[in-house]
Amino acid sequence: MVDHSAAGSDRKPDAALDRTLGALADPTRRAIVAGLRRGPATVSEVARPFPISLYGVSKHVRVLERAGLVHREVRGREHHLSLRAEPLRALSDWLDGYAAFWEERLDALERELAEDRRGD
Amino acid sequence: MVDHSAAGSDRKPDAALDRTLGALADPTRRAIVAGLRRGPATVSEVARPFPISLYGVSKHVRVLERAGLVHREVRGREHHLSLRAEPLRALSDWLDGYAAFWEERLDALERELAEDRRGD
DNA sequence: AGTACCCTCAACCATATGGTTGATCATTCG
DNA sequence: CGAATGATCAACCATATGGTTGAGGGTACT
């Protein structure tokens, strides 16, 4: 019997990471997140810089919200959005699992570059 | 005139980051990457743990390849795949722009939790 | 030569994604 | 009250995504 559960070392597929990475994969959404880093803002405020419709941005915001990256606080008719850090931290933790790998590779790269310079 | 170019502090939309995040947003592809962390492998070897067709995996590999996360070396009839570190490092660098933010927020969260405990 | 093996290609399918628009709901303001 | 504002909803559209299958192209084994 083939073991389908251990394709590497990821225990469970981790749907939260799916949503975080998926949400951040869109440049508009990354820009929204970048804007929100400066502090909370309403949907209209967040939408202003973008050339797409308000509702277009609204949909992006909902994706970010489902990923837990953005928190919405309805205050009267305004929806105040703020950046939530946890998913970013989780992503960073996941990435840390590869830090050792890329540092190794980078050492190797540096060695290669040193050789290339010598032969240049 | 509205400035559409500075929606935050992202200079250019950065299509490379789009591809990296998009590639990693899929659990199968993350599992492939995780497997490749141990060292190079052929497409069939990479595909073995997954319940989908070989070509299904092959298509995932191509996505990873276009994102620069995987390098392919055709050796006879076998395609040897290896993990490339640069996109992961670039992602880490991008994330670092938020490290300060989430550390702040985490401090705030801890304070709030302390208050919640007291009021519980 | 002939067969088995590794992998990709072409075509197809279902669903998800990113975008639009007009209508609608709720709230604030004159 | 009535009008403007902030945001969502419903419907729609085009394209991308993740999966399948059968066929085919090279490469290796005997």
Side-chain angles (χ1 to χ4, degrees):
Chain A
M1 177 199 173
V2 185
D3 180 7
H4 285 170
S5 68
S9 58
D10 281 0
R11 245 36 197 93
K12 37 184 161 184
D14 202 347
L17 210 43
D18 284 15
R19 285 191 294 269
T20 301
L21 287 161
L24 294 175
D26 182 276
T28 300
R29 286 194 293 261
R30 278 203 308 283
I32 290 173
V33 165
L36 245 27
R37 186 172 33 178
R38 281 32 191 318
T42 68
V43 174
S44 298
E45 286 165 356
V46 158
R48 191 159 23 223
F50 301 101
I52 67 178
S53 73
L54 172 65
Y55 192 53
V57 172
S58 175
K59 283 164 90 176
H60 280 304
V61 166
R62 197 165 42 196
V63 171
L64 290 167
E65 200 181 4
R66 266 182 291 180
L69 281 159
V70 159
H71 176 248
R72 182 191 307 258
E73 192 205 339
V74 180
R75 208 184 305 169
R77 63 183 167 184
E78 304 177 326
H79 294 205
H80 292 253
L81 310 173
S82 55
L83 194 53
R84 303 291 274 121
E86 289 74 9
L88 291 173
R89 170 170 273 288
L91 174 54
S92 178
D93 287 348
W94 176 81
L95 249 190
D96 280 349
Y98 293 86
F101 171 80
W102 83 52
E103 277 158 15
E104 272 180 42
R105 299 293 298 162
L106 222 57
D107 289 351
L109 181 65
E110 277 168 19
R111 261 179 264 122
E112 276 182 43
L113 284 177
E115 287 202 16
D116 281 6
R117 277 175 192 278
R118 212 177 310 145
D120 182 23
Chain B
M1 173 196 170
V2 184
D3 181 6
H4 284 172
S5 67
S9 58
D10 283 359
R11 245 35 199 90
K12 37 184 160 184
D14 203 345
L17 211 42
D18 285 14
R19 284 190 295 270
T20 301
L21 287 162
L24 294 175
D26 181 276
T28 301
R29 285 193 294 261
R30 278 202 309 284
I32 291 173
V33 165
L36 246 25
R37 188 171 32 178
R38 299 333 194 9
T42 67
V43 174
S44 298
E45 285 166 357
V46 158
R48 191 158 24 223
F50 302 101
I52 68 179
S53 72
L54 172 65
Y55 191 52
V57 173
S58 174
K59 281 163 91 176
H60 280 304
V61 167
R62 196 167 42 196
V63 171
L64 290 167
E65 199 180 3
R66 265 182 291 184
L69 281 159
V70 158
H71 174 250
R72 180 191 308 257
E73 191 205 341
V74 180
R75 207 185 306 167
R77 62 183 168 181
E78 303 177 323
H79 294 204
H80 291 253
L81 308 173
S82 56
L83 194 54
R84 303 291 275 120
E86 288 75 7
L88 291 172
R89 171 169 272 290
L91 174 54
S92 179
D93 287 349
W94 176 81
L95 249 190
D96 280 348
Y98 294 86
F101 170 78
W102 82 52
E103 277 157 17
E104 274 179 41
R105 296 295 296 161
L106 221 56
D107 289 351
L109 181 65
E110 277 168 20
R111 261 178 265 122
E112 277 181 42
L113 283 177
E115 289 203 14
D116 281 4
R117 274 175 194 280
R118 212 177 309 146
D120 181 25

